[in-house]
Amino acid sequence: VLPPLDDLLPLLDEIWQSRILTNRGPMVERLEAALGAHLGVEHVSLVANASLGLVLALRHLGITGEVVTTPFSFAASGHAIRWAGAEPVFADIDPATLGLDPAAAAARITPRTRAILAVHCYGIPCDTAGLAALAAAHGIPVIYDAAHAFGITTPAGPLCAAGELSVLSLQVFNSSEGGAVIARARAAKEAIDRLANFGILDETSIPDTGLNGKMSELHAAVGLALLPHIGAAIAARAERARAYDAALRGIAGLRPLKVPA
């Protein structure tokens, strides 16, 4: 999905006038605030992409050892665990949601397990209550790869607010390239922001080992220009999905996913 050029050009002109292209400039701050309001969450950290967002989330929580996760996902989910210095341990999925099955995950937990990383596959929510109960029983956090879950709400609230941290990939709603880490607390957001900027606290202090995970002003401008139009874009995609379901329904061997309201 591309934003209308008439909406994007004034934002690019603002960037040229400001002479700020990166390093958490005003466009990034504006997009974080706009996304927080749109998604119904308070603490949004924009990053260069969701893969880096997952690495930053795991590093912020100090996750080492084993992480129980799903094999039914894009490669980035397992790769992020490895990049963070931990080991992915795969457990089976629930065939109804395609998300990590809490019972299967429970069978893979060992004394070395330090976290659960689950994926809301195709935007269909995982059993968040079941995974939360499992994590609480073992004193470990749940992190969500919410790459497909932009804007999805459940009776419990915004889906991206589930878990200790949740990572969005800006795909359908996009900034041409980007991701976002959703945190529960302000301190966690500030830590993620710091880790995404080489661990720098101020001009003389670098207390953390970070990396360069910042989003540029140009990417944030694309997101700001697209956000007012994303509802119509998602509705159009939903209509196409319904057409596919109708055309494929009744074919032997195919089972369309039941998408919750």
Side-chain angles (χ1 to χ4, degrees), residues 32-33 35-37 39-46 160-161 165-166 180-190 192-193:
E32 285 183 344
L35 286 176
L39 297 170
V41 295
E42 190 172 357
H43 304 298
V44 179
S45 290
L46 287 172
C160 65
L165 293 166
S166 192
V181 182
I182 311 300
R184 290 182 177 180
R186 180 74 190 178
K189 175 198 163 31
E190 291 173 349
I192 295 292
D193 290 343

Side-chain angles (χ1 to χ4, degrees), residues 117-178:
L117 193 153
V119 179
H120 302 300
C121 198
Y122 307 131
I124 298 173
C126 292
D127 179 357
T128 54
L131 291 171
L134 175 62
H138 292 274
I140 56 177
V142 181
I143 302 162
Y144 281 103
D145 179 337
H148 295 174
F150 182 87
I152 293 173
T153 58
T154 72
L159 186 56
C160 65
E164 188 74 19
L165 293 166
S166 192
V167 182
L168 295 169
S169 180
L170 303 188
Q171 296 179 347
V172 178
F173 168 75
N174 72 87
S175 51
S176 74
E177 179 79 13

Side-chain angles (χ1 to χ4, degrees), residues 63-69 78 81-82 84-90 112 115:
I63 302 302
T64 58
E66 295 176 351
V67 177
V68 177
T69 190
I81 294 169
R82 283 282 181 87
E87 184 70 22
V89 174
F90 295 114
R112 296 188 65 241

Side-chain angles (χ1 to χ4, degrees), residues 50-56 58 75-86 117:
S51 294
L52 285 172
L54 287 169
V55 173
L56 292 166
L58 291 159
S77 303
H79 288 182
I81 294 169
R82 283 282 181 87
W83 273 110
L117 193 153

